[in-house]
Amino acid sequence: MNDESTAAATAARGGFRTLDRDRLRRLLERERARYVKEHPRSRELAAEAGRSLLAGVPMSWMAKLTGDFPLFFSEARGNRVVDVDGHTYIDFCLGDTGAMTGHSPTVVMAAVRRRAEELGGITTMLPTEDAAAVGAELQRRFGLPYWQFSLTATDANRWVLRMCRMVQRRPYVLVFSECYHGTVDETIIVLGPDGRPRSKPGNVGPQVDPTLTTKVVEFNDVDGLRAALAPRDVACVLMEPWMTNIGIVPAAPGFLEAVRELCDETGTLLINDETHTISAGVGGCTRAFGLRPDVVTIGKAIASGIPMGAYGVTAELAGRILGDPEADLVDQGGVGGTLAGNALSTAAARATLEHVLTEENFARMIACATRYAEGVQRVLDEHRVPWVIVQLGARAEYRFTPTVPRSGNESRAAHDGELEEFMHLYTINRGIFMTPFHNMALMCPDTTAADVDRHTAVFADAVEELYG
Ligand SMILES: Cc1ncc(COP(=O)(O)O)c(C=O)c1O
């Protein structure tokens, strides 16, 4: 991981190189043209989809993917994706964590087939024995005793925000500026340039102004958090232990301890959203850093991409939730979903936790991410490029700034749309798929050192073309 002293050392060696924007734009045009030329079938399918799908895609954010039209894929297994034009990609996106297990792991597919075909019963409103096995395994990993399932991490977050407000009898929740916890109304808020909270630009039809439901402070700002929690009107803090959705923003030394202390002092509940930070190890940052949240939420990878989310709570909080006389937790009180906790998701989660997201696999995935980060850093050093790379376990991401961002807004300021598009197209055109809207790479159990080295070579060529 780079830091300010590394940046200072680079500056002392003759300073960083300056990016020639005209050159970048010429290169970008070349890569855009190559992308269009080499993906004729994706282009045809995009045109066809445009006749029936809103924005031409099954989910609107796919319209924002790099290139004039999205890549359509035909097959994916392990860490390889094959597109409809027959190109094979080394996949470092892995469904933005949903496929952190690798695509369609054999052991999970066997469990899914057994449940869906052999035994039958995808969803019945009844529990299966897999559910308790998944609960026990999540309990062991995260140290929280009681678990419940949803279909997505978004839902897990939504439901625990409700429960925390209910038992606390407090109106606000608190999040960090530039966080992402899914499409959860209360979290679509940032600190504006004037340092005041405001609805995130582009917030689609908020039912209420989020400044009425939510307090927001900068990540790593202990004083800001202290002031926000002091009136004791915040039910809970919802956070990723390290931010991952605005690039990776590490917690400064002592910050996570300060968050816990301030929550304890003010009677505020603490929720760790481990949906992405599970990359830190089998129990996410909670286990890796010895954290003591009141709630953990998670989703995406825990069932190898079969829809599944989960939340776990302390015994004390479980008692308060179940003992609340005013709450309707079983019918139409605002918590629940017909398909949540279904037999297919829980079968997939059990196989994933028992056989795929294991200690042994994490050790290999993290070693690959270290090799990846070291390779990128070497290239940046050689060319004196003012970018930084940060690793969190099995995930690593570079940002277009020489020092590690300390807050969401600082990381946001490092965004460079042209550079990002260039790096994505350059790598896609050479058989590497990075996480869209990020410069992020995630390793799965199938990722090899050779895959990582291939990325380093392509990354070096891109940087050479930009700065050489
Ligand atoms: C930290 C975090 N929490 C929650 C979510 C929401 O996940 P989903 O869209 O699967 O509900 C995301 C999605 O990126 C996330 O990064």
Side-chain angles (χ1 to χ4, degrees), residues 344-382:
L344 187 69
S345 298
T346 40
R350 182 176 187 176
T352 301
L353 295 173
E354 286 179 358
H355 302 292
V356 187
L357 293 180
T358 58
E359 297 273 4
E360 304 73 54
N361 279 341
F362 262 104
R364 297 213 328 275
M365 289 149 70
I366 292 172
C368 276
T370 302
R371 187 181 183 97
Y372 176 98
E374 286 171 355
V376 167
Q377 186 67 63
R378 217 168 32 246
V379 173
L380 298 180
D381 288 346
E382 271 164 22

Side-chain angles (χ1 to χ4, degrees), residues 224-244:
L225 183 64
R226 183 179 292 111
L229 296 186
R232 295 173 181 255
D233 51 6
V234 174
C236 57
V237 171
L238 172 61
M239 72 185 297
E240 291 188 281
W242 281 25
M243 298 185 88
T244 67

Side-chain angles (χ1 to χ4, degrees), residues 96 151-155 157 180-183 240 244-245 273-277 297 299-300:
D96 191 10
L151 282 185
T152 63
T154 296
D155 271 344
N157 283 326
Y180 186 69
H181 296 284
T183 53
E240 291 188 281
T244 67
N245 280 295
D273 180 347
E274 294 274 17
T275 303
H276 276 185
T277 48
T297 56
K300 293 200 184 186

